[in-house]
């Protein structure tokens, strides 16, 4: 009997019942398309970079990789390039400008504040990010150093730069913000 009542109600309003799902479905599709459209053109809601410093005992060097979001990096490089727009995903290598920017904003110095030389290796794209590769000689002895990591801090007030250091099975992470762009670290 329950089925008969349902059939009677739907039979009287068949036109309305059929139109409502179509309207709701169309509105749902429009909302989904708008969401996809706007999400494609919005930027990530946070500003961060990740630097990994891993000691290689064979070569007595720190292998350093810096991961940054491409859009943030392009903004910084455009500013560094005198305002001339720069796009990293167009197949043109920008090693000179990338190296210049990274050297200006990432450095390691000994306890005496004398810079430790860092060699620029290159960079590559991965999805929406760029990886910049560096190498730094290190004798393997425990020492105090100063690390400067202020990538994008002049561009974004909420910028956070994480530096993870792995040396002889010991791993530590240091957080850099605009009020702490240089920090003392014991390696």
């Amino acid at each position: 009997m329950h089925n008969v009542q349902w059939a009677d109600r739907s039979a009287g309003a068949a036109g309305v019942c059929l139109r409502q799902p179509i309207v709701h479905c169309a509105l749902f599709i429009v909302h989904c398309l708008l969401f996809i459209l706007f999400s494609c053109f919005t930027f990530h809601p946070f500003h961060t970079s990740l630097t990994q410093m891993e000691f290689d005992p064979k070569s007595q060097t720190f292998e350093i990789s810096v991961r940054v979001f491409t859009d943030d990096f392009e903004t910084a490089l455009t500013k560094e390039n005198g305002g001339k727009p720069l796009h990293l995903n167009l197949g043109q290598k920008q090693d000179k400008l990338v190296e210049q920017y990274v050297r200006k904003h990432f450095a390691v110095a000994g306890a005496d504040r004398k810079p430790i030389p860092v060699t620029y290796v290159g960079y590559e794209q991965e999805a929406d990010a760029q990886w910049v590769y560096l190498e730094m000689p290190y004798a393997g002895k425990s020492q105090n150093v100063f690390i400067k990591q202020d990538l994008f801090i002049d561009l974004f007030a909420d910028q956070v730069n994480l530096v993870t250091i792995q040396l002889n099975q010991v791993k530590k992470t240091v957080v850099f913000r605009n009020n702490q762009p240089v920090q003392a670290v014991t390696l």
Side-chain angles (χ1 to χ4, degrees), residues 49-53 64-70 73 88 93 95 98 102 120-134:
S49 76
L50 173 64
T51 301
Q52 298 172 320
M53 298 177 62
I64 304 168
S65 55
V66 183
R67 184 184 187 277
V68 295
F69 285 108
T70 299
F73 205 24
L88 294 170
K93 282 301 228 176
D95 282 295
V98 168
V102 171
Y120 174 79
V121 177
Y123 76 96
E124 67 180 347
Q125 184 166 347
E126 175 192 81
D128 63 346
Q130 301 289 324
W131 284 96
V132 179
Y133 302 105
L134 310 163

Side-chain angles (χ1 to χ4, degrees), residues 17-18 27 48 61 72 94 116 158 172:
C17 288
L18 289 177
L27 285 173
T48 187
T61 61
D72 293 346
Q94 299 291 339
I116 299 172
D158 63 339
K172 61 176 83 175

Side-chain angles (χ1 to χ4, degrees), residues 59-126:
S59 63
Q60 294 289 292
T61 61
F62 268 104
E63 296 172 348
I64 304 168
S65 55
V66 183
R67 184 184 187 277
V68 295
F69 285 108
T70 299
D71 58 330
D72 293 346
F73 205 24
E74 289 175 338
T75 299
L77 292 175
T78 295
K79 183 178 177 183
E80 186 79 16
N81 198 28
K84 183 179 174 189
L86 187 125
H87 300 286
L88 294 170
N89 59 356
L90 297 180
Q92 298 174 317
K93 282 301 228 176
Q94 299 291 339
D95 282 295
K96 184 178 178 183
L97 195 57
V98 168
E99 179 179 3
Q100 177 182 321
Y101 182 80
V102 171
R103 285 188 182 282
K104 189 174 177 181
H105 295 280
F106 176 81
V108 181
D112 58 358
R113 302 264 182 174
K114 184 177 176 184
I116 299 172
V118 174
T119 303
Y120 174 79
V121 177
Y123 76 96
E124 67 180 347
Q125 184 166 347
E126 175 192 81

Side-chain angles (χ1 to χ4, degrees), residues 22-77:
I22 292 172
V23 169
H24 288 290
C25 184
L27 285 173
F28 177 74
I29 290 171
V30 168
H31 282 109
C32 288
L33 289 174
L34 286 173
F35 174 76
I36 291 169
L37 179 68
F38 287 120
S39 66
C40 288
F41 295 105
T42 58
F43 297 102
H44 51 91
F46 57 94
H47 298 98
T48 187
S49 76
L50 173 64
T51 301
Q52 298 172 320
M53 298 177 62
E54 189 169 332
F55 181 67
D56 179 6
K58 290 180 185 174
S59 63
Q60 294 289 292
T61 61
F62 268 104
E63 296 172 348
I64 304 168
S65 55
V66 183
R67 184 184 187 277
V68 295
F69 285 108
T70 299
D71 58 330
D72 293 346
F73 205 24
E74 289 175 338
T75 299
L77 292 175

Side-chain angles (χ1 to χ4, degrees), residues 124-154:
E124 67 180 347
Q125 184 166 347
E126 175 192 81
D128 63 346
Q130 301 289 324
W131 284 96
V132 179
Y133 302 105
L134 310 163
E135 288 183 343
M136 181 184 79
Y138 183 70
K141 295 181 257 172
S142 180
Q143 67 177 355
N144 294 325
V145 297
F146 291 93
I147 298 176
K148 172 185 169 185
Q149 187 7 329
D150 67 355
L151 292 169
F152 314 142
I153 284 179
D154 60 331

